[in-house]
Amino acid sequence: MIQFWCVARSRTDGQYLVARSENSEPGKPPDRYLLVFKEHADLLGYLNRHAPDLAAQFAMESIAQSNLSAVLSRWSYQGIGLVEDPWLPIVSFTVMA
C-alpha cells in the first residue's frame, strides 16, 4: 500500500510549509524540515489554529512516500516534521538527509 503525506504549499511562490531549527553555529542558516500531515483535516486544522490569516495563501498537496526523498533533496530540506497533533502542536522530526 502506498502511503501519502499531506503538505501545504504557498500559492504565491510555491514554497512548502516548513519548520526551521536554530543552529548553534553562527552564520549558518537554520535547518529546514518539511511539515507533513497524516490527513488533510489535520493540515487545515493546523493552519486555521496557528495562522488563520495566512491559511488561504496555502494549497494542499499529497506527496507519495516514494516521492518524498526527491522533494527533500530538491528543496534542500534536512528531513520531515510529522505533525502528530495540529492543535498543540506536537511535531516529530526525522532527519532524512
Side-chain angles (χ1 to χ4, degrees), residues 40-80:
H40 282 160
D42 291 342
L43 172 53
L44 289 174
Y46 179 88
L47 289 174
N48 288 331
R49 169 102 172 162
H50 302 289
D53 52 331
L54 300 175
Q57 295 180 21
F58 288 93
M60 291 185 297
E61 292 184 0
S62 297
I63 297 178
Q65 178 70 34
S66 58
N67 294 339
L68 192 57
S69 61
V71 171
L72 296 176
S73 176
R74 178 177 186 187
W75 291 87
S76 300
Y77 297 138
Q78 280 64 43
I80 63 168

Side-chain angles (χ1 to χ4, degrees), residues 17-64:
L17 183 62
V18 299
R20 292 182 171 90
S21 69
E22 293 183 17
N23 278 318
S24 57
E25 295 180 40
K28 184 179 177 193
D31 291 335
R32 298 180 311 148
Y33 295 85
L34 177 64
L35 285 180
V36 298
F37 300 80
K38 295 176 186 175
E39 302 285 336
H40 282 160
D42 291 342
L43 172 53
L44 289 174
Y46 179 88
L47 289 174
N48 288 331
R49 169 102 172 162
H50 302 289
D53 52 331
L54 300 175
Q57 295 180 21
F58 288 93
M60 291 185 297
E61 292 184 0
S62 297
I63 297 178

